[in-house]
Amino acid sequence: MILLRLVVGLTLIICGLLFFLETFGFVEVEQLWRLWPLAVVALGVQRLLGEDRKVSGGAALSFIGLWLLVNTLQVAGLTFRSSWPALLVGLGGLVLLRAFTDIGGRAAR
């Protein structure tokens, strides 16, 4: 819970600073907005490293966030339309990961 509060607090501070800097013409927030999937990745990492250590949920959020980022930035020309099979493969892998973890999503012993 402390890590979540830290992430939320830092996110608010960073957003405020970016909008403040945009007011003075130092940055263009519109260009940085393309990086919004990193917030999903951060939530996934928080779940992976947090107190509960929810492996499958954290991995799912991290994977989906990375997939969204790759598509938003069109890395290697990938778009949502052309990369949806990769999403299916990744989600299938996450289902298999879930099979090897217990019901709470923690790593099997």
Side-chain angles (χ1 to χ4, degrees), residues 17-29 32:
L17 286 172
L18 287 174
F19 287 122
F20 185 70
L21 291 172
E22 182 182 45
T23 303
F24 292 103
F26 292 117
V27 295
E28 291 185 35
V29 174
L32 294 174

Side-chain angles (χ1 to χ4, degrees), residues 90-103:
L91 292 176
L94 291 170
V95 169
L96 291 177
L97 175 65
R98 180 74 179 187
F100 291 106
T101 60
D102 66 4
I103 304 237

Side-chain angles (χ1 to χ4, degrees), residues 49-76:
L49 302 177
E51 296 170 4
D52 294 339
R53 296 197 182 243
K54 302 211 175 199
V55 175
S56 60
L61 278 175
S62 297
F63 174 77
I64 290 170
L66 288 173
W67 180 78
L68 289 168
L69 183 65
V70 164
N71 287 291
T72 301
L73 299 178
Q74 294 185 345
V75 175

